[in-house]
Amino acid sequence: MSSAAEQPAPPHGSVPARAAGHAFADPEGARTVAERAARLGEERVGPRFKGLPPDADGLTVGALAAERRSLFTGGFTTPVLTLDAASLTHNLALLESYTDRHGLAFAPHGKTSMAPELFARQLAHGAWGITVAVPHQVRVAREFGVRRIFLANELVDAAALTALTADLDADPEFQLLVYVDSVRGVELMDRARTEAGALRPLDVVVELAAGEGARTGVRDEAGCRAVADAVEASDTLRLAGVAGYEGEVPDADPERVRAWLRRLTALAAAFDTEGRFAGLDQIVVSAGGSAWFDAVADVFAELPPLSLPVLKLLRSGAYVSHDDGHYQHVTPFNRVPEEGTLRPAFRLWAQVVSRPSPDQAFVNAGKRDAAYDLHLPEAQVVRDARTGVLRPAEGITLTGLSDQHGWLRTEAGAELEVGDWIGLGLSHPCTSFDKWQLIPVTEADGTVTELVRTFF
């Protein structure tokens, strides 16, 4: 990894000079998002934010961050979720270099974090734009100035379509891409936009399903053509390309994932041969979660020249924080280690509140605080309440979560007593950010340097 991955985060409102040179970057948009995200520092700290120091109530978020308090001795209360500053910086730089090296545009899935400060940093690291899943997330991204958005869902809500139509017509710099996967959906979209008096076409991409029994998407190529025909017959939509999500391939393995991706690229080539992209500046081909982006890069590299330039758009999002569970095991960097290594950035700190027996203890973090939909949190370190010294959480395993308690099994000889802090690694970042509205970012010694605001 280059030294760029180790550099400190840019200050709010600034954009690294390298972003301007990235092939698909939007430097002006990145600056706007950074400037608007910086205003979050003016928000006041109060009881609605978990884990923050009670004596900080009334301070602005920016003022609290400027105090550079210690997470452990600066008044923060448990449970409290943190992000490691060095890991965030490393991960942002790693995916920037990866996508640049493989000729991919990058629209990280913002639903992973829904944090404007992180949007700003992703854009500053060369991202083309941001991917979201639902209309509310589009609104958040737009509120903070994101100019390029990929909505990875078919949008059939008339109220949302009316609002987005007004936004598109008012802002010629706003680029929006939306999935379509049914003729009925196309009809609903066109009707709502017609009634809204749309002036600009809405660019849509036909979603190819990852297989029978997979999630959304058109199940076969004939169905994709029917949906594309419906788009071409509409007055307010424009076919911009094809897309899908390889993470839903049934019984996914490298061969099956690559086979599906080749179906996707073949569909793009076929649509191009049929003249369906006439009048566009580029053709969009998009895929990519956080488990198979190596396969996406490989297969997209195989795509032969089409009649127009191709925007090969990757949408992985979990990389920004990574994790200590699901993605730690399935990351493409495990398969291709020479590309680099992502670092887990989350740590949930909880406090031992009960030690009822030698083989059992309880901490004050539960389902309301920790992601638990895939794997339980992992006990990693203990901070001794008497000495303040950190030590590995040897012989300590988290075995279950209640609403506000974590169940710990302690082996013979495990050092643990009431008052100690436990640092937990978390699995699946997609359901970690949404439990915390304001997350301290910490240096290695526990100094809090920033607080990241989320909007779920």
Side-chain angles (χ1 to χ4, degrees):
M1 178 51 49
S2 69
S3 59
E6 309 299 334
Q7 295 302 309
H12 285 310
S14 68
V15 176
R18 66 177 178 276
H22 194 284
F24 305 103
D26 179 16
E28 183 177 342
R31 280 189 288 271
T32 298
V33 178
E35 289 166 0
R36 294 188 185 181
R39 298 173 193 165
L40 290 169
E42 301 168 6
E43 193 167 8
R44 296 285 173 178
V45 173
R48 68 187 181 280
F49 298 126
K50 298 192 292 185
L52 300 189
D55 68 349
D57 285 2
L59 291 178
T60 65
V61 171
L64 176 57
E67 291 182 355
R68 295 179 61 86
R69 296 193 187 193
S70 166
L71 181 75
F72 306 116
T73 62
F76 289 85
T77 64
T78 56
V80 58
L81 180 67
T82 64
L83 283 163
D84 179 69
S87 295
L88 279 177
T89 300
H90 171 90
N91 294 344
L92 288 161
L94 182 59
L95 258 290
E96 177 187 17
S97 63
Y98 180 87
T99 53
D100 199 24
R101 186 161 58 250
H102 289 278
L104 300 171
F106 189 33
H109 213 317
K111 63 95 175 174
T112 301
S113 67
M114 286 307 296
E117 289 106 332
L118 296 184
F119 291 173
R121 292 179 65 175
Q122 288 169 317
L123 292 167
H125 279 273
W128 170 90
I130 297 294
T131 297
V132 296
V134 293
H136 164 71
Q137 294 168 357
V138 177
R139 291 183 63 196
V140 172
R142 289 296 291 157
E143 176 71 16
F144 288 90
V146 178
R147 304 198 304 177
R148 298 171 179 171
I149 296 175
F150 189 109
L151 177 56
N153 246 334
E154 187 166 68
L155 177 59
V156 295
D157 183 291
L161 283 162
T162 298
L164 282 172
T165 294
D167 194 1
L168 280 164
D169 289 346
D171 183 359
E173 299 299 320
F174 178 25
Q175 299 179 52
L176 178 65
L177 292 165
V178 182
Y179 272 172
V180 287
D181 81 344
S182 66
V183 172
R184 168 68 172 163
V186 169
E187 292 170 348
L188 290 172
M189 294 173 76
D190 186 51
R191 180 187 307 164
R193 284 178 47 75
T194 298
E195 292 175 357
L199 302 177
R200 289 177 59 193
L202 172 61
D203 286 336
V204 298
V205 290
V206 174
E207 182 193 7
L208 176 67
E212 290 298 327
R215 201 162 62 187
T216 57
V218 188
R219 270 21 189 184
D220 56 35
E221 283 75 3
C224 288
R225 284 187 168 80
V227 173
D229 288 343
V231 171
E232 291 171 6
S234 75
D235 293 325
T236 67
L237 308 180
R238 180 171 65 177
L239 184 65
V242 299
Y245 174 47
E246 75 291 341
E248 285 292 317
V249 170
D251 301 315
D253 62 24
E255 291 72 27
R256 290 187 179 92
V257 169
R258 283 176 169 80
W260 176 81
L261 286 163
R262 291 187 178 104
R263 284 182 60 199
L264 182 70
T265 56
L267 181 65
F271 277 6
D272 187 42
T273 299
E274 294 162 12
R276 294 183 184 270
F277 302 126
L280 299 180
D281 295 325
Q282 62 184 4
I283 299 167
V284 176
V285 181
S286 179
S290 295
W292 296 101
F293 56 75
D294 56 333
V296 174
D298 291 346
V299 174
F300 280 13
E302 300 170 359
L303 186 64
L306 302 183
S307 65
L308 295 167
V310 177
L311 184 74
K312 301 173 183 178
L313 191 61
L314 184 71
R315 305 193 308 273
S316 310
Y319 83 99
V320 69
S321 61
H322 199 41
D323 70 359
D324 282 292
H326 178 68
Y327 288 112
Q328 183 79 345
H329 301 297
V330 303
T331 175
F333 293 127
N334 291 343
R335 294 186 292 270
V336 194
E338 60 269 23
E339 293 275 17
T341 302
L342 290 168
R343 299 178 185 173
F346 276 130
R347 179 161 282 172
L348 175 63
W349 289 95
Q351 196 164 24
V352 178
V353 293
S354 180
R355 189 77 159 99
S357 66
D359 62 353
Q360 194 175 37
F362 291 87
V363 292
N364 60 349
K367 293 179 181 178
R368 292 189 173 95
D369 312 298
Y372 62 95
D373 55 327
L374 290 182
H375 304 287
L376 288 171
E378 171 186 280
Q380 295 178 332
V381 296
V382 176
R383 186 176 188 274
D384 191 290
R386 298 178 188 274
T387 66
V389 174
L390 293 175
R391 62 176 180 268
E394 294 177 351
I396 303 170
T397 304
L398 192 140
T399 61
L401 292 171
S402 299
D403 286 352
Q404 205 63 67
H405 288 96
W407 296 58
L408 298 179
R409 183 179 69 245
T410 55
E411 299 174 7
E415 297 181 64
L416 196 66
E417 64 178 4
V418 171
D420 289 347
W421 285 34
I422 300 278
L424 303 169
L426 299 181
S427 173
H428 201 205
C430 297
T431 54
S432 295
F433 279 102
D434 59 351
K435 298 178 183 298
W436 295 84
Q437 291 184 305
L438 197 60
I439 305 172
V441 178
T442 60
E443 294 182 342
D445 64 356
T447 300
V448 174
T449 59
E450 184 182 356
L451 295 112
V452 168
R453 183 74 157 91
T454 65
F455 290 81
F456 279 94

